[in-house]
Amino acid sequence: MPIMAEGGFVRGVELDRAKEYHTEIKEMTVVLDEEIGHVRLITLNNPSKLNIITPEVVKRLAELYEKWEKANDVEIIVIKGAGRAFCAGGDLRMFYYGKAEKHVIEAVYKMYWLEYHIHTYKKALVAIVHATAMGGGASLTVPSTFTVVTEKTVLAAPEAGLGFHTDASLSYILSRLPGHLGEYLALTGARVDGAEMVAIGLGTHYLPSEKLPELEKRLINLKSGDKSIIRAAIEELSIEVQPGEKSVLFNRSLIDKCFSKDTVEGIIDSLITESNIEGNEWVERTIKTLKRSSPTGLKMTLKSVRQARNQTLSECLKKEFRLTLNTLRGVISNDMYEGIRAQNIDKDFSPKWNPPSLREITEEKLDLVFQPFEEKFELQILQDEKIP
């Protein structure tokens, strides 16, 4: 019989499901590591669940990165994913079933520490992104020294549509894209492919996917972690590509015009005005996407990305940590749980957002999730970063 807890029998069923789910995850080796000469190879190894980021994944990655950064015989770290995805992002079921319980908060804390470590890593990191990289999966790859993509690569940050925010350093990453592409990608969750990633700086090299085994062999045979040598090895196999004719990048002028507005309401109004003038199919799709997304998620995300333009990496991570904990605690909304329920649990794809409209989420309400914690409860990371 499921235990009775806050919320009664249904909550008990949820807890039982959560235990079964995480027992299954723990029983498999979700991160494989190999030591080959001066190279260390990481494989995210949960292909049936698209290599999602579980607490076990975070713990193991943190251990490996820390150990190898200190090891004198390690020059290059390569990370890749098994199966048909590189990484589909964070473990949404953990959030849904775990809420703001201690083990969830600890996992979030470790993830943000891991992200800081990846951004400031002292040795060469090569991410081979052969396929999908979503949310937290994207944040494991983009900060790498080299991010290799292919014709099968897809990257997106869909958190806002689920009632969440662009986290795990993505507010920092997206805010530094050209023009207002960062706001566009963060608010709409739009997908970019490998060619688009290289064009806007989210990827460093494009390889046909059939050349990835050869790239891996060449990296393994390198005797040096010198970045110019690694770059040359990758460039021997990489090719020059341009975004396809249907690329969203051809709408850059419209993106910059509309997504530069001060508020989400202003962005939507601007898009509606353009749809009346242009009759642009992309504009219509974008309006629909924004209107069906969580109003709370949209407002949190826009404010976070805008703030990130003037924040350091540490400041962004601390801000994102506050937003994540306050979202888990339902400080102004439980939309994240409703978004996960509709997409991943019941799969009815009909979320009921609360508050249901943008106008109900005032600046005063929004400020509640951005307020700093007491210092002892803040994310504790270093300030002396080697990047701004």
Side-chain angles (χ1 to χ4, degrees):
M1 172 71 77
I3 62 172
M4 293 297 289
E6 183 180 354
F9 182 80
V10 173
R11 178 62 175 149
V13 171
E14 288 183 354
L15 290 171
D16 276 7
R17 287 176 181 167
K19 288 176 183 177
E20 292 173 4
Y21 176 73
H22 285 290
T23 297
E24 178 185 346
I25 295 289
K26 287 179 180 179
E27 286 176 351
M28 65 186 302
T29 305
V30 290
V31 177
L32 303 177
D33 61 280
E34 297 179 66
E35 300 184 1
I36 310 170
H38 295 290
V39 177
R40 299 296 179 265
L41 178 62
I42 294 172
T43 304
L44 302 177
N45 185 47
N46 190 1
S48 66
K49 290 184 169 56
L50 304 180
N51 300 320
I52 57 172
I53 303 171
T54 63
E56 293 75 31
V57 169
V58 174
K59 180 175 183 291
R60 186 57 179 155
L61 288 179
E63 290 171 349
L64 292 173
Y65 280 127
E66 184 173 359
K67 178 176 73 171
W68 291 339
E69 189 173 43
K70 296 175 181 177
N72 293 329
D73 61 336
V74 177
E75 298 282 355
I76 306 169
I77 292 90
V78 178
I79 184 169
K80 64 179 184 176
R84 59 192 177 92
F86 173 83
C87 175
D91 184 356
L92 298 180
R93 287 173 177 264
M94 176 193 73
F95 289 133
Y96 184 79
Y97 292 122
K99 304 294 191 282
E101 293 174 9
K102 183 180 178 181
H103 73 280
V104 177
I105 294 174
E106 287 176 348
V108 169
Y109 196 101
K110 289 176 182 176
M111 180 64 183
Y112 283 98
W113 247 109
L114 174 63
E115 284 302 329
Y116 178 82
H117 200 187
I118 293 172
H119 275 273
T120 59
Y121 208 68
K122 296 175 183 176
K123 295 182 178 179
L125 297 175
V126 181
I128 299 178
V129 192
H130 72 295
T132 302
M134 296 285 184
S139 67
L140 290 179
T141 67
V142 176
S144 300
T145 318
F146 302 101
T147 302
V148 178
V149 299
T150 76
E151 76 281 0
K152 297 179 181 179
T153 304
V154 176
L155 179 144
E159 292 86 357
L162 291 174
F164 199 42
H165 66 100
T166 46
D167 75 323
S169 83
L170 280 173
S171 74
Y172 178 84
I173 291 168
L174 295 178
S175 70
R176 281 148 176 81
L177 294 183
H180 291 276
L181 274 173
E183 286 95 330
Y184 166 69
L185 294 177
L187 292 173
T188 65
R191 299 182 175 202
V192 288
D193 62 25
E196 291 168 324
M197 286 176 66
V198 172
I200 62 178
L202 294 175
T204 61
H205 296 83
Y206 184 102
L207 269 69
S209 55
E210 66 267 18
K211 291 188 177 181
L212 292 182
E214 177 62 23
L215 173 64
E216 196 173 312
K217 288 179 185 177
R218 294 194 184 195
L219 292 173
I220 288 170
N221 288 327
L222 292 179
K223 306 300 182 185
S224 170
D226 184 281
K227 292 176 183 177
S228 62
I229 293 174
I230 300 170
R231 182 179 293 106
I234 299 173
E235 287 178 352
E236 287 178 2
L237 297 171
S238 67
I239 61 174
E240 295 291 329
V241 290
Q242 297 297 325
E245 61 181 20
K246 294 184 179 180
S247 171
V248 70
L249 300 185
F250 292 115
N251 289 305
R252 273 289 307 281
S253 60
L254 270 179
I255 288 173
D256 288 345
K257 182 177 181 180
C258 297
F259 284 82
S260 62
K261 304 305 179 186
D262 291 337
T263 64
V264 178
E265 293 94 328
I267 289 170
I268 293 174
D269 287 344
S270 181
L271 287 165
I272 291 172
T273 299
E274 292 300 323
S275 71
N276 293 332
I277 298 170
E278 298 277 344
N280 187 316
E281 186 179 328
W282 168 82
V283 173
E284 297 287 349
R285 289 199 309 270
T286 303
I287 293 169
K288 288 179 181 178
T289 296
L290 293 173
K291 286 189 171 182
R292 68 170 176 256
S293 295
S294 158
T296 302
L298 292 175
K299 286 213 167 182
M300 279 198 302
T301 295
L302 180 62
K303 184 167 184 173
S304 179
V305 173
R306 287 280 166 81
Q307 285 187 353
R309 288 176 173 268
N310 299 306
Q311 291 177 324
T312 65
L313 172 63
S314 289
E315 289 168 339
C316 282
L317 288 170
K318 287 184 175 186
K319 170 200 63 189
E320 292 173 356
F321 180 70
R322 296 174 201 130
L323 289 175
T324 296
L325 262 59
N326 284 327
T327 301
L328 288 168
R329 292 166 177 161
V331 170
I332 63 172
S333 173
N334 285 311
D335 273 5
M336 184 189 72
Y337 298 115
E338 175 62 7
I340 296 172
R341 180 207 63 76
Q343 179 171 297
N344 296 83
I345 307 300
D346 298 336
K347 299 183 180 181
D348 57 27
F349 304 101
S350 298
K352 304 295 187 292
W353 305 126
N354 185 23
S357 67
L358 291 164
R359 61 180 172 78
E360 293 177 73
I361 305 158
T362 63
E363 277 300 312
E364 290 74 21
K365 280 188 178 180
L366 205 56
D367 285 343
L368 293 175
V369 293
F370 281 84
Q371 285 298 316
F373 300 142
E374 287 183 46
E375 182 57 32
K376 64 181 178 180
F377 297 122
E378 291 278 10
L379 180 69
Q380 303 297 320
I381 52 179
L382 302 175
Q383 297 298 321
D384 55 338
E385 315 165 347
K386 66 181 182 181
I387 56 178

